[in-house]
Amino acid sequence: GAPEVLFAMWEPQSVPRAAAATVRAHTEQGFRVLALAWRPLDCGPNAVSDVLHQPRDVIEKNVTFLGLAVFENALKPGTSDVIHSFLEDAQLNCVMVTGDHSRTAFSVAQQCGMVPQRSSALVAEVGQPGGDVDFTDTRLPGVDDTLTLSEASNALRKDALLHLVVTGPAFQLLKPLTEATSLLLQSRVFARMSPRDKRDLIALLKSKSDERFVGMCGDGANDVQALKEATVGICLTDDSDTTASLAAPLIARTDTIDAMRIAVLEGRAASAASIGAFQYMFTYSVI
């Protein structure tokens, strides 16, 4: 599972000292990292049944560290070109919403051009369950420079190359705060987002942004709620049997975000044609 989740379950003596630093190093390069752990269970003859009926907090504790599984998180062909066309040509705001690690998400955002390559991340996360939001400045390697909300706002205002990355738990705590709304609307990267977090973010963007039109594309079951909440929700898949494709308002028979570019082009063309036809008919009737 997620390294930050398993860190709280591991037997301390089984975890190498460099584990956290190794996770950070790989995620900052854009890799996906899963932590592996195990523990023996004292079960009777009905082992499977016994385990299935045990609460998770009873089973998922005091586990022994096994290692880290690192996966390449390569961009699909054409992704950077589409993002560039959205940001520069279409003048659209692009936001990444993912369940990946915050630093993995930020690295991918840099690779695809959603944020500048030379930029740094200011990560908003909840360190302990039930705790407050910590803003961690990643410009100091190996050092957690934690800021308050007001300090984070000032830092982002002063440094154009510092970008906010918001995790799901932090998003839920910041969402009700009026002073945090502007930060959330400016952020381009949201990580460790659950299906509920994604839906709530779409709702926030619709209610607070000037345009009030929010498009969403996704390809998995975790995206279904957000796809339904969006003004335009498009499922990107070449498999018509996936959960997202069955529930999404619109389906693109492709698994690349180039479908969003085509949708925007066709939508704007239809809008321009409709307005042009109306102008012609109005002018004709006046003449």
Side-chain angles (χ1 to χ4, degrees), residues 37-201:
W38 77 283
R39 63 164 289 200
L41 298 176
D42 186 12
C43 301
N46 299 319
V48 175
S49 177
D50 292 343
V51 170
L52 291 177
H53 288 86
Q54 289 283 345
R56 290 187 62 176
D57 58 352
V58 172
I59 295 178
E60 296 178 346
K61 64 179 182 179
N62 301 327
V63 296
T64 300
F65 174 79
L66 283 178
L68 300 172
V70 182
F71 302 89
E72 185 178 9
N73 196 29
L75 291 176
K76 292 180 180 178
T79 298
S80 298
D81 293 337
V82 173
I83 296 297
H84 181 270
S85 68
F86 281 159
L87 295 174
E88 302 297 332
D89 301 331
Q91 294 296 301
L92 295 175
N93 184 36
C94 295
V95 177
M96 178 188 297
V97 189
T98 178
D100 287 340
H101 191 281
S102 57
R103 289 173 175 81
T104 298
F106 187 73
S107 176
V108 173
Q110 288 177 308
Q111 293 174 36
C112 70
M114 196 170 288
V115 298
Q117 283 282 353
R118 297 184 296 110
S119 60
S120 302
L122 181 64
V123 182
E125 55 193 349
V126 178
Q128 299 293 333
D132 296 327
V133 178
D134 294 328
F135 293 87
T136 304
D137 192 335
T138 62
R139 289 175 295 184
L140 303 175
V143 179
D144 290 337
D145 189 7
T146 302
L147 307 177
T148 64
L149 176 58
S150 60
E151 291 172 338
S153 299
N154 291 333
L156 291 167
R157 193 180 304 113
K158 293 177 180 178
D159 191 347
L161 290 178
L162 186 63
H163 290 265
L164 180 65
V165 179
V166 183
T167 62
F171 169 72
Q172 292 296 343
L173 292 179
L174 293 173
K175 184 179 61 171
L177 304 179
T178 304
E179 61 270 28
T181 301
S182 60
L183 292 183
L184 295 176
L185 295 178
Q186 293 171 14
S187 178
R188 285 187 172 177
V189 182
F190 293 83
R192 289 293 191 234
M193 298 286 278
S194 68
R196 175 198 167 205
D197 297 332
K198 294 180 181 181
R199 180 202 64 198
D200 291 350
L201 174 61

